[in-house]
Amino acid sequence: MKKLKLQNQVFRMFVSNYKEWLDILGYAESTVYYLPNHLQEFFYYAENKGHTELKTITTKTIKEYYKELTERANERRHGALSKSYLNKHQQALKKFKEYLQNHNYKDFNIHLKSETDPTEEKVNVLTQSEIKELFTACNYSHNSKRFRLRDKAILTILYSCGLRRNEAVHLDISDILFDKERVYVRKGKNYKERFVPINRKNAEILEDYIYEARPEFYQSKEIEALFINHHGTRMQGMTFSNRLKVIVAATENKNIIDKQITLHILRHSIATHLLQKEVSLESIKTFLGHSSLESTQIYTHLLKTIENE
């Protein structure tokens, strides 16, 4: 129901911030996509019932909303909405209530019953030892050395440097500043630029790729892109994702494979590991390129979740 447009600016803000919160906590891409859409659908219902702020929404409102959902026809197939679909709506509101509690909002005092068929997903973040296994797996992730060195460089950029996928895609060779021990991120979120530090070990991995492996790729001298594919063009996001899947499979570690790691979870992992090492939130904020400290503070909740598992 993404097509439903909200008129209320506060409700729109909550949907946007809720989505960012789920994303930073490392939930699966499907969860980050669907739960905010379900929340948006609920707010659309609330708007049509005359609600303009959270504090006027009651448990009765929720019950009436679920009653309407159970009576609504399935648009894709005959019959009513599936139990799984209804559970996702319930999960969306439960997670939204958790989001509000973590941000000290007191105006959503509703009771939500437990799900009869829980569908909540576990937050997946790699441990530091699992990260080491991924790097080790790059020694045999491909039969060609140039691809193995590129795999290790990809992990360095996405984990060690904490870059987003789009930021990694747009890196050029000239953005790796070995003399300053920095990576220049010119295509950050909202086009914000930043410099990310690299240590000696990370620099050596990038040097091996740039000076030993990259020249062996087709048309490597004709393109400025840091990461290029076998066609001699800039690597795109899907290729990064596919290479990560290959690296994960090469570990042959069931625990890592079962976590269904995505590129973004590498970023979540480094942020969590920095927090475990008691790096300040302000430093992590700068490192990740967050526009506000509130986004970075979400990782404190993620760390607590991991420690309580």
Side-chain angles (χ1 to χ4, degrees):
M1 288 293 174
K2 192 176 181 180
K3 60 186 178 182
L4 301 176
K5 300 295 183 182
L6 296 175
Q7 302 301 316
N8 188 294
Q9 185 176 353
V10 174
F11 289 167
R12 291 202 305 268
M13 176 199 71
F14 274 128
V15 172
S16 176
N17 291 350
Y18 176 57
K19 182 172 185 176
E20 182 179 27
W21 180 74
L22 290 170
D23 185 33
I24 290 179
L25 283 182
Y27 282 96
E29 291 180 12
S30 59
T31 299
V32 175
Y33 176 80
Y34 284 111
L35 294 197
N37 286 350
H38 294 328
L39 179 64
Q40 181 170 324
E41 186 174 351
F42 168 70
F43 280 147
Y44 183 82
Y45 169 86
E47 275 189 350
N48 288 334
K49 296 297 181 181
H51 297 282
T52 58
E53 50 188 348
L54 286 182
K55 64 183 180 181
T56 64
I57 296 174
T58 64
T59 301
K60 182 182 178 183
T61 310
I62 303 295
K63 288 181 178 179
E64 291 173 347
Y65 173 63
Y66 282 131
K67 184 174 185 296
E68 183 172 300
L69 284 179
T70 58
E71 295 173 350
R72 198 174 77 194
N74 192 316
E75 294 179 358
R76 295 187 177 180
R77 56 182 69 90
H78 295 297
L81 297 176
S82 68
K83 183 178 180 181
S84 174
Y85 187 82
L86 295 173
N87 279 335
K88 281 293 183 182
H89 274 270
Q90 195 170 67
Q91 183 186 349
L93 287 181
K94 286 181 69 177
K95 279 293 171 190
F96 179 61
K97 187 176 181 180
E98 184 180 331
Y99 159 81
L100 293 174
Q101 290 170 342
N102 277 275
H103 290 79
N104 296 317
Y105 288 103
K106 309 294 185 183
D107 294 337
F108 200 55
N109 298 315
I110 61 166
H111 173 72
L112 294 170
K113 65 178 182 179
S114 299
E115 299 177 20
T116 55
D117 181 19
T119 57
E120 287 202 25
E121 299 178 46
K122 192 175 182 179
V123 176
N124 290 330
V125 173
L126 291 163
T127 64
Q128 292 181 51
S129 63
E130 288 171 336
I131 288 292
K132 290 179 181 178
E133 286 192 57
L134 288 182
F135 275 96
T136 300
C138 291
N139 295 327
Y140 38 85
S141 57
H142 199 280
N143 57 13
S144 173
K145 186 177 180 181
R146 61 176 175 148
F147 284 95
R148 296 197 299 269
L149 291 178
R150 192 186 66 179
D151 284 346
K152 192 169 287 189
I154 288 172
L155 285 184
T156 298
I157 289 298
L158 292 170
Y159 169 75
S160 304
C161 298
L163 267 64
R164 302 175 178 92
R165 177 172 66 174
N166 191 56
E167 294 170 345
V169 166
H170 287 93
L171 278 180
D172 289 340
I173 296 178
S174 58
D175 295 329
I176 311 302
L177 310 175
F178 290 113
D179 56 333
K180 297 181 180 178
E181 298 181 331
R182 295 285 188 275
V183 172
Y184 175 44
V185 184
R186 68 176 72 245
K187 288 283 188 177
K189 193 172 183 180
N190 299 321
Y191 292 90
K192 291 183 178 179
E193 303 173 343
R194 72 182 188 280
F195 289 93
V196 177
I198 51 175
N199 58 29
R200 187 63 245 163
K201 184 176 181 181
N202 294 333
E204 288 175 356
I205 291 173
L206 294 177
E207 284 174 348
D208 287 344
Y209 164 66
I210 291 173
Y211 299 117
E212 183 179 348
R214 190 183 178 281
E216 295 186 13
F217 282 86
Y218 179 60
Q219 291 187 333
S220 61
K221 294 181 180 179
E222 309 300 322
I223 186 170
E224 288 298 313
L226 174 63
F227 292 108
I228 54 178
N229 56 35
H230 65 284
H231 296 298
T233 58
R234 186 181 295 272
M235 268 181 60
Q236 298 301 310
M238 185 56 68
T239 307
F240 280 90
S241 297
N242 290 337
R243 289 314 304 164
L244 179 59
K245 289 178 182 177
V246 171
I247 296 168
V248 168
T251 66
E252 296 185 349
N253 183 323
K254 188 176 184 300
N255 289 333
I256 296 177
I257 294 171
D258 288 347
K259 285 186 176 183
Q260 299 183 327
I261 300 305
T262 64
L263 299 174
H264 216 54
I265 287 176
L266 294 177
R267 178 173 157 90
H268 299 321
S269 298
I270 185 62
T272 306
H273 298 160
L274 290 173
L275 199 58
Q276 288 173 326
K277 293 179 180 178
E278 298 184 347
V279 176
S280 71
L281 279 175
E282 186 62 42
S283 296
I284 298 174
K285 168 184 172 290
T286 302
F287 176 77
L288 295 173
H290 284 162
S291 57
S292 69
L293 196 60
E294 181 175 314
S295 296
T296 315
Q297 286 173 331
I298 294 174
Y299 285 107
T300 60
H301 172 73
L302 176 56
L303 184 57
K304 290 177 183 177
T305 301
I306 294 169
E307 291 173 344
N308 290 333
E309 288 179 354

